[in-house]
Structure formats: C-alpha cells, structure tokens
Amino acid sequence: MNPLIGMTFITGLLASAHCLGMCGGLISALSLTENGRRCGLPCQLMFNLGRVTTYSLLGLFVGWLGSALTIQNELYNITQLLQIGCDIFIILIGLGSAGLFSTFNFSLLKTGALQLDLEKKADKLKGLPLPLAALGIGLLFGLMPCGMLYAMLLTAAQSADTATGMLMMLAFGLGTFPALLLLGQTSNWLKRLGNRPLKAAGIMVALIGSYNLLNHIGMIS
C-alpha cells in the first residue's frame, strides 16, 4: 500500500480540531431536532458520509488530472517542476500550520466568498428531512475551503492515479470522522490539548511534502 495513504489518514486524525471548529456547530444544529425530536447519530453519520464522499470524489478527479498531465511526454519536464513546486508549497502549508511562521498558515488560505456561498446553499437544504438534509450539507461542506484540504488534494493529484488519489482523500476524510462523529466527547478533549493536535497535523503535512519532494528530485537526477 502507498505509505502516503496512511500518512493522510493520520493527518486527518490530527486535523480534527480544525474540522470541529469549521463544522462542529453545524453538526450540533443538525442533530438537535426534527419536529421536536432528536435526530442525533443518524444526522451525524449522514453528514460525515456526505463529506467523506465529496473528499473521495475530489481525490478521484485530481488523481485523474495528475495522470492526464504526466502521460503527456511533451509536458514531462514541466510537470516535474510543477510537482516540486507543489511539494514545497505543501511543506510550507504544513510548517505554517505547525506554527513555524507567524504570518503564513493554512487559515489564511480560506476563501470567504466560497464558504459563504456554501453556507447559503446549505440553508436551502435544511427544509428537507434532517438525515437527508445532513447528507446534502455534508456533500457541500466537503468543498469547504481549507489549506489542509488543499495540501491533501495536491498530494492526491501528485499520485497521478485515480484510485490512489481517491484512496488518499478517503483516508483523510475517515481520519477526521471520529472527532466529528463523537462531537461532544472529542470537543472537550481537544480543547484541553489546545493547538498541539493541529501543530502535529502541520508537521505530518510537511513530512508528506518532504517525502514527495525527495521522490521527485530523485526522478530528475
């Protein structure tokens, strides 16, 4: 198995604190009531199923896109340089997330306009029965702009393989799954840990970028 699949899963686990910050309130709201009754676990499961499905489909697409670029012989040298540039960018995202830079971290890579647009579309889905609404909102929120997600998508694209790209993003999504599913219990635990899990996730992202960078430099030499 590609070692990057396991590394992306660990990154998802460590990045759960950030996911709770972005999606935790929404999951709590979805799980509260449906005609006065608790929806609870079904809504949380459906939301996370939708989110992980979107991640997997994005991984499949960028894996295909990466393969489409690499099979073009005339673009080979360009794609090698592009891969190295992406590796360096991924390392910078990771180190910034780990707190190495005071002015560069993944939170600066959010796109406020896209996030607002996704939230508006999610509001329109809330009129559906809660489990179905949770699935639709999860599918939308898999597109939520996030530097950590960008880094994982770049890594999946560099696999230049549809199946591997999909598995990488599936692993990342599954890594974030436990914290969001066990929202109440994990949020208090992660609060006590502070920023340490997120810093560890940043270090893991930097290691992924370094692993790919060494491989891509080796391909040139």
Side-chain angles (χ1 to χ4, degrees):
M1 184 180 75
N2 191 321
L4 290 176
I5 294 175
M7 294 174 77
T8 53
F9 176 76
I10 295 171
T11 302
L13 282 174
L14 294 171
S16 296
H18 178 57
C19 294
L20 282 173
M22 294 187 72
C23 302
L26 178 64
I27 297 176
S28 297
L30 279 171
S31 64
L32 287 179
T33 60
E34 181 180 25
N35 297 325
R37 297 175 298 172
R38 291 187 64 83
C39 179
L41 185 60
C43 282
Q44 294 180 20
L45 284 171
M46 295 297 278
F47 175 83
N48 282 289
L49 175 62
R51 190 173 53 85
V52 173
T53 297
T54 296
Y55 287 166
S56 300
L57 292 175
L58 287 173
L60 186 149
F61 173 73
V62 298
W64 168 81
L65 188 61
S67 67
L69 288 173
T70 55
I71 62 175
Q72 298 294 326
N73 290 329
E74 64 272 18
L75 296 177
Y76 185 71
N77 292 331
I78 296 175
T79 54
Q80 280 189 318
L81 293 174
L82 182 62
Q83 285 177 326
I84 290 175
C86 288
D87 295 335
I88 295 172
F89 184 60
I90 290 169
I91 293 170
L92 289 174
I93 291 177
L95 294 178
S97 301
L100 185 63
F101 313 121
S102 59
T103 58
F104 183 84
N105 58 63
F106 69 87
S107 64
L108 299 180
L109 299 176
K110 296 177 183 177
T111 307
L114 177 57
Q115 182 170 340
L116 184 61
D117 187 53
L118 288 174
E119 289 173 352
K120 288 180 179 178
K121 287 181 169 60
D123 282 336
K124 295 179 180 179
L125 293 175
K126 289 182 181 178
L128 299 172
L130 272 180
L132 186 58
L135 175 64
I137 293 172
L139 289 168
L140 281 176
F141 269 64
L143 301 170
M144 183 67 73
C146 163
M148 197 72 72
L149 176 60
Y150 298 154
M152 293 299 96
L153 285 172
L154 283 173
T155 303
Q158 288 179 328
S159 72
D161 181 78
T162 53
T164 303
M166 183 181 69
L167 287 173
M168 282 183 182
M169 293 309 298
L170 174 63
F172 176 71
L174 291 177
T176 64
F177 200 101
L180 287 171
L181 186 62
L182 304 172
L183 181 61
Q185 292 83 352
T186 53
S187 59
N188 291 329
W189 179 68
L190 287 170
K191 282 179 182 177
R192 288 197 294 269
L193 290 177
N195 289 328
R196 281 173 287 185
L198 203 52
K199 289 182 177 181
I203 292 171
M204 182 59 68
V205 170
L207 287 174
I208 290 173
S210 300
Y211 176 89
N212 275 335
L213 180 61
L214 290 174
N215 286 335
H216 294 145
I217 290 176
M219 289 169 61
I220 292 178
S221 60

